[in-house]
Amino acid sequence: MANFYITTPIYYVNDVPHIGHAYTSVAADAIARFYRQQGTNVRFLTGTDEHGQKIANSAVAAGISPQELVDKVAQSFINLGEVLNLSNDDFIRTTEQRHKEKATWLWQQLYQKDEIYLAKYSGWYAVRDETFYQEEELIDGKAPTGAAVEWVEEDSYFFRMSKWQNALLEHYAAHPDFIIPASRYNEVVSFVKQGLQDISVSRISCRWGITVPQNPQHTMYVWIDALTNYLSAAESFWPADLHLVGKDILRFHAVIWPALLLAAELPLPKQVLAHGWWMADGQKMSKSLGNVISPISLCEQYGVDYVRYFLLREMPLGNDGNFSHEQFVNRINSELVNNVGNLLQRVVTLAHKNFAGLIPRVEELSADAQELYRRTQDAPEKAKHFMHNYQIHLAIEEAISLGRAANEYIDTMAPWHLVKTDASKTRVVLYRLLEAIATIADILAPVIPESSKKILEVLNKDASGYTLLPANIIFPRL
Ligand code: MSP
């Protein structure tokens, strides 16, 4: 059986989860569920990034120890995973022993290969981004992200990243799908072409981190620590097939991480996918603007499947998107409620009323059903193709457009009239419609697993056909 190892970034535990975190996780979850549906042996990893100055500062601000803070907030990410119905196989926390061991092991590999050396660092550092910045990158004395920077001058270990510039460029050239979408690939390639500098990989000033084995005065730079999580919990699955990340952290995953792995002589991940950012009603989400959308309250308000559906349907993986409640309600009502839900309701009600819910399998294909039949046959292949390209929104669209075709078919055939004159033909019409509905439920299963399961339960299909159960409302109107 083929393997597929997919990861989300590990989330900083300085603050509660927001919709951006939920998005990365839900997209990875849909992909993981899709691969499992195809019979692939999937490992889906998510977790929390718990070291570094940012976390240490948050703990001070909260008046608790870093360990207390990370235990508390990590739990809120674990809970979010449950609320979002994530199917992750593991949850890694960087404060776990298994991770500390792996990070230390990787460090030792690099150190022994002389890829790490001690020197002095002086430069700008933004704690909010846990990132070093060059003087010329600053805008009005701040990081390009708007984060405040501080001047850091201390002894520090460095990783010889400059040495890996050509090897990286060769790798990109030989693997044009290493970074997707293509526009991001081009960005990374031109960034690396400009030249790479050695990077600082340890801190003396930050005490909340994994100790550098050669020198207990130092802790590992939080990003080196964090990236190693993908190895710590890989079991036998390394290399990863897909690192799903937001565009803001692409460089760490597409430049620093592969350079570290090359230096340690470890296999590289097969692909890094950078997704875009959600805005709220056209504005960047931020605490200071007070417009941060909580995924937990969204799920309470709308139900988890509607949230998953909207996130994956509205924003093509790779683009930026906008969250608005109005658009949310429109999408759900027009695509799930009026289209799929209504179709299911009509067909199941007719079948119960006229045939005690029994719709046996038929082989015959009347001329009127050919179009719907063909679309029902083709839709799974098309959807699969889109999912393989991580075009989740198009796979969804495939299911919805099959729903539209089925609704048109039911309107044309008007089985509620037909049944008065030709009951057996009506049954055949309902059979074709149920086949379409079952296909829609299969395609949507990775996106809305609970609802899809409910639909398939109602359909109750076996080799001889459908023995329908009563249909409760699966998609309530918003
Ligand atoms: N801890 C690092 C990742 C280390 S991975 C080895 C980190 N954490 S984070 O919590 O700040 O962000 C995690 C993910 O959430 C990133 O992929 C980021 O792009 C994503 N999002 C944060 N805000 C977002 C939006 N508004 N929209 C979409 N995703 C965004 O970075």
Side-chain angles (χ1 to χ4, degrees):
M1 216 207 284
N3 279 354
F4 188 81
Y5 177 25
I6 177 169
T7 67
T8 72
I10 49 172
Y11 303 108
Y12 285 130
V13 290
N14 60 308
D15 205 355
V16 292
H18 66 73
I19 193 177
H21 305 132
Y23 178 67
T24 318
S25 290
V26 164
D29 185 61
I31 295 166
R33 285 175 184 271
F34 166 75
Y35 273 96
R36 284 194 205 103
Q37 207 183 31
Q38 303 302 310
T40 305
N41 189 24
V42 171
R43 184 163 180 80
F44 167 26
L45 178 69
T46 186
T48 40
D49 189 351
E50 306 191 355
H51 289 130
Q53 196 61 50
K54 174 153 84 169
I55 310 287
N57 291 355
S58 298
V60 170
I64 52 179
S65 73
Q67 190 63 53
E68 281 174 289
L69 176 79
V70 301
D71 286 345
K72 187 171 134 224
V73 185
Q75 193 53 50
S76 67
F77 278 92
I78 293 171
N79 294 344
L80 175 68
E82 277 159 21
V83 172
L84 292 174
N85 196 8
L86 301 186
S87 63
N88 52 301
D89 299 287
D90 201 345
F91 189 99
I92 181 95
R93 298 182 53 189
T94 54
T95 50
E96 287 171 330
Q97 191 57 24
R98 60 172 171 162
H99 173 72
K100 291 182 189 166
E101 279 166 16
K102 200 67 179 187
T104 308
W105 174 83
L106 181 65
W107 180 284
Q108 293 289 45
Q109 297 297 305
L110 297 168
Y111 191 80
Q112 280 156 20
K113 292 177 197 298
D114 189 35
E115 295 288 344
I116 286 180
Y117 61 91
L118 187 61
K120 206 172 197 73
Y121 180 77
S122 54
W124 296 102
Y125 192 76
V127 173
R128 197 182 85 190
D129 304 342
E130 296 285 19
T131 302
F132 301 99
Y133 288 103
Q134 311 280 335
E135 180 80 45
E136 58 273 17
E137 284 179 282
L138 302 188
I139 300 166
D140 298 332
K142 286 190 169 172
T145 56
V149 292
E150 57 191 51
W151 183 254
V152 175
E153 218 172 293
E154 62 183 11
D155 282 355
S156 170
Y157 286 93
F158 281 77
F159 166 59
R160 297 187 195 281
M161 194 154 82
S162 56
K163 187 178 146 185
W164 295 98
Q165 182 185 359
N166 286 336
L168 284 173
L169 289 172
E170 278 164 24
H171 186 80
Y172 304 145
H175 303 89
D177 290 333
F178 181 61
I179 300 157
I180 50 172
S183 55
R184 300 284 170 207
Y185 172 93
N186 294 334
E187 268 173 36
V188 169
V189 170
S190 50
F191 170 74
V192 174
K193 277 189 178 153
Q194 284 165 26
L196 293 177
Q197 297 185 340
D198 292 353
I199 56 165
S200 162
V201 290
S202 78
R203 297 263 82 125
I204 290 182
S205 45
C206 175
R207 298 313 310 146
W208 183 241
I210 300 176
T211 306
V212 168
Q214 285 73 32
N215 194 334
Q217 263 200 310
H218 291 249
T219 61
M220 292 179 200
Y221 170 39
V222 61
W223 265 102
I224 303 297
D225 163 350
L227 287 163
T228 317
N229 91 85
Y230 301 130
L231 292 179
S232 313
E235 304 211 323
S236 57
F237 280 78
W238 190 259
D241 291 271
L242 184 66
H243 290 317
L244 184 62
V245 302
K247 59 181 181 180
D248 52 317
I249 56 173
L250 177 61
R251 272 186 204 174
F252 293 97
H253 286 83
V255 182
I256 299 182
W257 181 227
L260 289 169
L261 291 166
L262 284 170
E265 296 182 89
L266 292 169
L268 304 197
K270 298 204 186 105
Q271 201 166 46
V272 182
L273 195 174
H275 69 68
W277 270 50
W278 283 97
M279 315 238 280
D281 291 317
Q283 276 188 310
K284 201 181 154 149
M285 268 180 261
S286 78
K287 256 204 269 184
S288 49
L289 287 173
N291 62 349
V292 173
I293 295 170
S294 151
I296 301 273
S297 27
L298 270 190
C299 288
E300 280 165 4
Q301 187 179 357
Y302 294 119
V304 54
D305 274 358
Y306 282 180
V307 173
R308 292 174 60 111
Y309 183 88
F310 181 75
L311 292 179
L312 298 177
R313 174 68 183 93
E314 181 71 10
M315 182 163 114
L317 202 50
N319 296 16
D320 290 334
N322 186 48
F323 187 95
S324 91
H325 286 274
E326 198 189 343
Q327 179 65 357
F328 190 108
V329 170
N330 285 343
R331 271 247 188 253
I332 298 300
N333 281 345
S334 73
E335 298 181 1
L336 289 182
V337 181
N338 296 343
N339 180 340
V340 182
N342 196 28
L343 175 68
L344 176 74
Q345 212 60 39
R346 287 160 99 188
V347 174
V348 172
T349 307
L350 275 166
H352 277 299
K353 197 167 152 205
N354 299 291
F355 306 105
L358 287 178
I359 307 293
R361 181 191 174 94
V362 280
E363 299 299 338
E364 117 192 31
L365 185 61
S366 56
D368 59 70
Q370 280 189 14
E371 166 72 6
L372 182 62
Y373 174 79
R374 189 187 53 75
R375 298 198 50 165
T376 306
Q377 294 298 305
D378 292 352
E381 278 310 312
K382 288 191 185 160
K384 208 188 287 183
H385 165 81
F386 290 132
M387 287 303 285
H388 278 294
N389 289 326
Y390 308 125
Q391 293 168 305
I392 306 176
H393 68 294
L394 294 181
I396 296 175
E397 175 54 32
E398 201 50 49
I400 297 307
S401 100
L402 179 57
R404 265 183 233 119
N407 274 304
E408 279 163 29
Y409 182 67
I410 197 171
D411 288 343
T412 315
M413 301 310 289
W416 45 90
H417 290 314
L418 187 63
V419 72
K420 292 177 193 148
T421 55
D422 191 341
S424 71
K425 167 120 203 184
T426 307
R427 252 186 172 175
V428 175
V429 168
L430 295 184
Y431 178 74
R432 290 290 159 224
L433 288 162
L434 288 168
E435 290 281 280
I437 296 171
T439 303
I440 293 168
D442 280 336
I443 296 174
L444 294 182
V447 177
I448 48 171
E450 279 309 309
S451 309
S452 164
K453 198 169 116 202
K454 282 190 201 156
I455 296 174
L456 294 170
E457 276 164 11
V458 169
L459 298 188
N460 193 21
K461 182 183 182 180
D462 66 20
S464 58
Y466 295 90
T467 311
L468 301 172
L469 301 180
N472 300 320
I473 304 283
I474 292 175
F475 298 115
R477 183 175 308 280
L478 296 182

